[in-house]
Amino acid sequence: MWSASQAAPAPAVDARAWLSRIHAAASQRNYQGTMVVTAGGAVSSSRIVHYGDGAHTYERIDGLDGERRQVLRHNEVVQTMWPGSRLAAIEQRDPLAPFPSLLKTSEEQIFDRYELITEGEDRVAGHDALVLLLRPKDHERFAQRLWADKATGLLLRTDVIGPEDRVLESAAFTDVTIGVRPQPEAVLKAMKKLDGYRVLKPVLTPARLEAEGWTLTSPVKGFRQIRCIKRSLDSTGAVDSASNGAEMLQAVYSDGLTHVSVFIEPYSAQRHRQAVETSIGATHTLMQRHGDWWVTAMGDVPLATLKKFGKALERR
């Protein structure tokens, strides 16, 4: 266990510089490697290839465990393929994955809610790394410990830290090569290989929470809404005919480092049985009925934070 007692506050200028460097490296560096994620006692691994040229981003992620799954991305177009079932889903969405990227909005928002602490140096996947801790200033969010490559700023490992410095979830490269030759055409070519696949294209429509008749009466401290969309439940291929053309509303809130998604859909006695609270690693989920609606809140935050979102949500 990394000793927090050895930590020393980092100067504000250095803190901002390092977070900006980490964010830039995730989008602009060309790299490939194997990432292992440990959460809730489960371990999964993926092979990641990433190319960035400033204007465009290309990515391929191949799951190495369980059912075969491949994710291909060109900018906001994300194509997920399941070769075993010959199924593909194509969406246009903003990438929200926390690793190996970091910033969701601005450095200022992060420093409003987190304190950055340097914890020395380490090695990850054969690379020298600077270890940083983003410690929350309240109990609404978890801490995150970061290992950033000293030479490039690429995030090599991140741990989500719960109470008593307990690691709730960890994602780390076990091997990574930085500075590989970019091959964007390989990603684009793979995205066109859809012969024999059943292709789902969920329609995501920009929306406004208030315009849909909802509001947060008391916003959770530090979180700002960064996205709101509507999607047809039928178009996802993930629900049964009981949806009858209904739509799901999704609002995404971020504190600059992590995010919470709130899903709102019509209540259905066939699909929605009883309120549920679950956790897998750092990810907590809260599902409950809200009158004629079913609300699901999910995010890498304490369950108490999700309950605040659920309590503040009001139908107008």
Side-chain angles (χ1 to χ4, degrees), residues 64-92:
L64 303 179
D65 308 291
E67 181 182 6
R68 289 182 60 198
R69 179 173 176 268
Q70 183 180 70
V71 180
L72 303 164
R73 179 164 74 92
H74 176 212
N75 296 334
E76 287 76 32
V77 178
V78 179
Q79 181 170 307
T80 306
M81 305 174 70
W82 293 269
S85 55
R86 308 299 288 176
L87 178 67
I90 302 176
E91 296 182 79
Q92 282 206 349

Side-chain angles (χ1 to χ4, degrees), residues 262-316:
V262 177
F263 302 89
I264 305 171
E265 60 183 295
Y267 171 76
S268 169
Q270 297 181 29
R271 294 183 289 116
H272 307 135
R273 300 295 183 182
Q274 60 184 6
V276 177
E277 299 177 1
T278 65
S279 64
I280 300 178
T283 304
H284 288 77
T285 303
L286 174 66
M287 294 181 282
Q288 58 190 2
R289 185 175 179 178
H290 192 300
D292 295 330
W293 306 88
W294 187 255
V295 177
T296 300
M298 177 186 300
D300 288 356
V301 295
L303 183 61
T305 303
L306 296 184
K307 289 183 176 180
K308 288 187 176 182
F309 275 96
K311 185 177 181 180
L313 189 65
E314 183 177 288
R315 179 72 177 172
R316 291 189 178 276

Side-chain angles (χ1 to χ4, degrees), residues 91-105:
E91 296 182 79
Q92 282 206 349
R93 66 174 188 248
D94 298 328
L96 289 173
F99 184 79
S101 185
L102 183 66
L103 306 183
K104 305 296 184 299
T105 51

Side-chain angles (χ1 to χ4, degrees), residues 22 33 75 81 107 110 127 131 133 148 202 284 304 310:
I22 289 171
N75 296 334
M81 305 174 70
E107 294 97 330
I110 288 182
H127 294 260
V131 185
L133 176 69
H284 288 77

Side-chain angles (χ1 to χ4, degrees), residues 97 102 145 147 164 251 253 261 278:
L102 183 66
R145 183 169 285 119
W147 284 256
E164 300 178 354
Y253 298 85
S261 288
T278 65

